[in-house]
Amino acid sequence: MPASYLHGVETIEIDKGPRPVQLVKTAVIGIVGTAAAGPVNTPILVSNERDFAQFGEDIAGSTILDALQHIYQQKGTVCVVVNVLDPAIHKTSVVDEVVNVAADGSFRTSRPAIAAVSIKSANGATVYTAGTDYQIDLRSGRGQRIGNGAIAASTVAAPTQLKISYSYADATKVTPADVIGSVGASGQRLGMKALRDSYALFGFYPKILIAPVFASLASVSAELIATATALRAISFIDAPIGVTPQQAITGRGPAGSINFNTSSDRVGLCYPYLKAFDASVGYDRLRPLSSFAAGAQSRKDQDNGYWWSLSNTELLGATGVERPIDAMINDPNCEANLLNAAGVITVFNSFGTGLRIWGNRSAAFPASTHPKNFLCVRRVADVIAESLEYFTLQYSDRPLDNALVDDVVESGNRFLRKLKADGAIIDGRAWYDPAQNDPTELAAGHLTITYDFMPPTPAERVSYRASINIDYLNQLGKKA
């Protein structure tokens, strides 16, 4: 019976039927580290190289700019960056640094990223005033004496030296606790925990997490793994600098002394460090493999698909390795294979191959033999689960009837068929299982939809079976 009388024509929209499932973003990289400038303990979106400038000068001990550089050498992507260096806290004071003044009146402090600047004459008798006697760029520490040419009334009489006192942003003051973070009294998430604000800010979470240099500490790597679990992401962590292959393998067990004693299927253990050219000093320096691995994974996601393993991908921008890793494609006893067998991702560098990241497995291997110990399989499972969860929001709290069940199941099956067509899974299906939907649960508003799937595993091992067949000798003496 209509709710009200109508003598005429009306249209009633029926909001039913299956709907498309939107894929979650997978190539987004989350970085926790240090930079001389930029917001502190706040997720910052980086989508191109122009965004690098907000992090200031590449000061000693900073990690964010280095990581971004090596990631973007692999391919441009979107990064969510959390800077934990607070210049108001992590600072060192310099008193009366003697600075030479060039003939054109320019000068520069020995450190960039400075604050609380005080400049006086070389003998200390005259204190100069900012804006009147000099101007200085706090980001770079570059200054200029005012008074050349037309401004003859300046009180600065062209000194050749100055004494400058200031404080500078000091990355060495950052502690593991700063990187790990906490929740402040006002509810603000600090440090690594701020990554959990990404969805509220940007509509997505980073799915590849790194904390270069800091993650070689057991406390930081443990928190990075916990964050990856909470965000349904994967993380890459490095062994400390100077570790040998034996120590990296030993580190997988209780007798080890490094941060590799984990069985998480959400972490790729990276060894060794790589060499990369540093333009600021003019020579190669050691850089964490994790930054390159994150960039390589993001590149694979964009070029091939999130179901592809990052293994056997050439690493761009790397000039060498911390120490040579013996690598042969057909030698089970070479160092690269022994590391992989222990669940450690390494570098393959043989004749004519270039530097390639080498290893498909997470730290869950070899303790776990489930296909999810392949990082790419783990990621496919995450993508399906999260995509379906977000999609189902539009059905939540509607009347639980056959129409709703049919819509959700058919939408899930269409999504899985699309993944099969893309190559992300071999096959999969979703269904309503009466055994999982007891009437008491349905009466409580609890609906359970079951699905299964199988992603393609990487062709990690290819075997040839060869034999000598003497029957081919029968061809001798026959005319072609």
Side-chain angles (χ1 to χ4, degrees), residues 447-480:
L447 170 66
T448 299
I449 302 297
T450 305
Y451 69 91
D452 63 11
F453 63 96
M454 184 61 214
T457 54
E460 184 180 69
R461 180 172 185 164
V462 178
S463 298
Y464 287 96
R465 292 172 56 84
S467 61
I468 295 176
N469 189 343
I470 64 173
D471 291 339
Y472 292 144
L473 296 174
N474 293 332
Q475 300 179 29
L476 293 179
K478 294 181 179 179
K479 299 294 183 181

Side-chain angles (χ1 to χ4, degrees), residues 231-246:
L231 303 187
R232 275 206 186 101
I234 62 168
S235 59
F236 293 104
I237 64 176
D238 300 280
I241 290 178
V243 167
T244 66
Q246 178 177 330

